Amino acid sequence: MHGVATKDGHNGYVGLVLVSHSASIAEGVAELVGQVAGPEVPIVAIGGASDGSLGTDGGKVLDALREAAAGGGAVVLMDLGSSVLAVRAAQEELSSLENGRVLIADAPLVEGAVAAGVTASTGASASEIVAAAQEARSAAKL
Amino acid sequence: MPPSSERRVILPDGVPLHARPAGTFVKAAARFGSAVAVAANGRRANAKSILEVLALGAEGGTELTLSASGDDAADAVDELATLVAQLA
């Protein structure tokens, strides 16, 4: 299946939502994924607390997941600790229909996002993208 | 035994199989039903896995061995060899 433009404005590709403690990390990973995977895959980068310090803004995470669920769906990757908690808290606020369209990948953020982005750019489903991201848990670098 | 095919191709000088070129290569490999592998520097990667392809660390000028097994193996190897030679 490849991405096809749809009436409700998304391009048919499953997107990525990247959640980090740091806006710089989230945006940097998004930039790297865009370079490797190409421009088709929608990527939302969320980092930092609401006052701009290091941390996680649960409201922003929830908004991003809702928006992704209403669009082409998404796979969510996060870094550590409270990012994970914020994503899990947001999941609890979503309907079961929304949760079916926004899947969480349990994977290292950088490597998982690169694998997820390239897989998403082939028009893969969210569950295929999660599987590709989770391969990053065991991929050797050396 | 499914059909299999193998071919060697040299990465253009100055074009490592990193970042954008690696993504282009993996996306092209993913379009084939065959299992596709790429070997370089004595290592072998699933050509459909960006993390494995990046881990090859193939610099420009490196010889890649492309191999495929499956019904579209010959097409996969031909198309990927052409793509590699044209990477910029």
Side-chain angles (χ1 to χ4, degrees), chain A:
Chain A
M1 187 199 86
H2 283 267
V4 179
T6 56
K7 277 185 286 189
D8 47 350
H10 64 83
N11 64 5
Y13 289 92
V14 174
L16 303 186
V17 177
L18 308 177
V19 182
S20 171
H21 284 71
S22 153
S24 304
I25 290 177
E27 286 159 16
V29 174
E31 185 183 359
L32 176 64
V33 174
Q35 167 139 155
V36 180
E40 298 89 356
V41 177
I43 303 175
V44 178
I46 301 170
S50 50
D51 64 0
S53 63
L54 291 177
T56 313
D57 182 338
K60 263 200 257 178
V61 172
L62 178 58
D63 290 347
L65 299 199
R66 283 235 155 92
E67 203 164 307
V75 169
V76 185
L77 292 107
M78 55 274 170
D79 60 1
L80 303 159
S82 65
S83 298
V84 179
L85 297 177
V87 170
R88 300 195 73 155
Q91 268 186 306
E92 287 181 15
E93 301 293 320
L94 298 181
S95 68
S96 58
L97 187 68
E98 287 173 319
N99 271 316
R101 297 181 54 72
V102 179
L103 303 188
I104 314 293
D106 183 359
L109 179 61
V110 177
E111 294 85 347
V114 168
V118 171
T119 303
S121 74
T122 67
S125 69
S127 58
E128 291 168 325
I129 296 165
V130 168
Q134 293 187 169
E135 278 177 28
R137 297 197 297 205
S138 58
K141 294 184 193 187
L142 297 178

Side-chain angles (χ1 to χ4, degrees), chain B residues 42-61:
Chain B
R43 299 179 59 142
R44 185 180 161 89
N46 173 357
K48 301 179 186 184
S49 164
I50 184 68
L51 297 176
E52 290 190 25
V53 169
L54 291 173
L56 290 174
E59 299 294 342

